């Protein structure tokens, strides 16, 4: 079952790549419309700095499924928890991923979160955590 989903995704990614190649260099030097890209096994950039009240947008720019999942113990105490899929906590996000790939972002999918409290926010892609796919948002006053 997972193999079929993977192959289907690879076919779609190939079509997107071909279309992008034919479209030229429209994004070169321009704003891609997101702040953090999700590569095969890394967030790019791994760290972003924003101001209180700013919204960060993540986009899955790879053919692999990813999540954006805050480490519950690595965000400011007064901060709102965030995770793709809208889970209220890290345990719920991890259980949803384990059960049915909950919170999964496919190629081209976006997730955004507005940061209202200054501080450091560490987050992870659950399926690629062992490979070191972690990121940080630094929110300044």
């Amino acid at each position: 079952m997972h193999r079929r989903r993977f192959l289907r995704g690879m076919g779609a990614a190939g079509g997107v790549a071909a279309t992008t190649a034919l479209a030229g260099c429209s994004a070169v030097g321009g704003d891609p419309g997101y702040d953090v890209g999700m590569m095969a096994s890394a967030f790019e950039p791994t760290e972003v700095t924003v101001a209180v009240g700013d919204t960060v947008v993540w986009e899955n720019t790879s053919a692999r499924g990813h999540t954006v999942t805050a480490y519950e113990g690595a965000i400011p105490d007064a901060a709102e928890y965030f995770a793709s899929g809208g889970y209220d906590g890290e345990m719920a996000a991890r259980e949803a991923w384990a059960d049915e790939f909950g919170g999964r972002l496919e190629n081209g999918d976006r997730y955004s979160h507005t940061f209202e409290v200054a501080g450091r926010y560490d987050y992870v892609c659950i399926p690629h955590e062992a490979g070191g796919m972690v990121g940080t948002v630094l929110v300044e006053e």
Side-chain angles (χ1 to χ4, degrees):
M1 180 166 103
H2 299 296
R3 182 171 181 259
R4 287 189 196 126
R5 185 182 306 162
F6 172 77
L7 292 173
R8 222 178 14 249
M10 290 304 293
V16 169
T19 302
T20 302
L22 294 174
C25 299
S26 61
V28 173
D31 179 5
Y34 60 87
D35 302 295
V36 180
M38 296 176 211
M39 312 307 269
S41 59
F43 291 106
E44 180 59 39
T46 58
E47 184 175 293
V48 294
T49 301
V50 299
V52 169
D54 284 351
T55 299
V56 174
V57 178
W58 289 263
E59 181 173 317
N60 184 347
T61 56
S62 79
R64 301 172 91 181
H66 295 291
T67 70
V68 175
T69 308
Y71 282 121
E72 208 161 354
I75 63 174
D77 289 338
E80 178 184 357
Y81 183 79
F82 66 98
S84 54
Y87 303 102
D88 291 334
E90 185 178 350
M91 182 66 74
R94 288 182 181 280
E95 288 173 357
W97 174 262
D99 289 344
E100 296 195 18
F101 305 114
R104 180 184 177 119
L105 300 170
E106 300 287 349
N107 177 267
D109 288 348
R110 290 184 174 184
Y111 169 75
S112 63
H113 179 74
T114 302
F115 292 86
E116 301 292 349
V117 176
R120 179 185 177 107
Y121 297 74
D122 292 324
Y123 62 92
V124 63
C125 171
I126 293 172
H128 303 112
E129 182 174 26
M133 190 169 178
V134 297
T136 302
V137 177
L138 299 173
V139 181
E140 299 177 336
E141 292 286 342

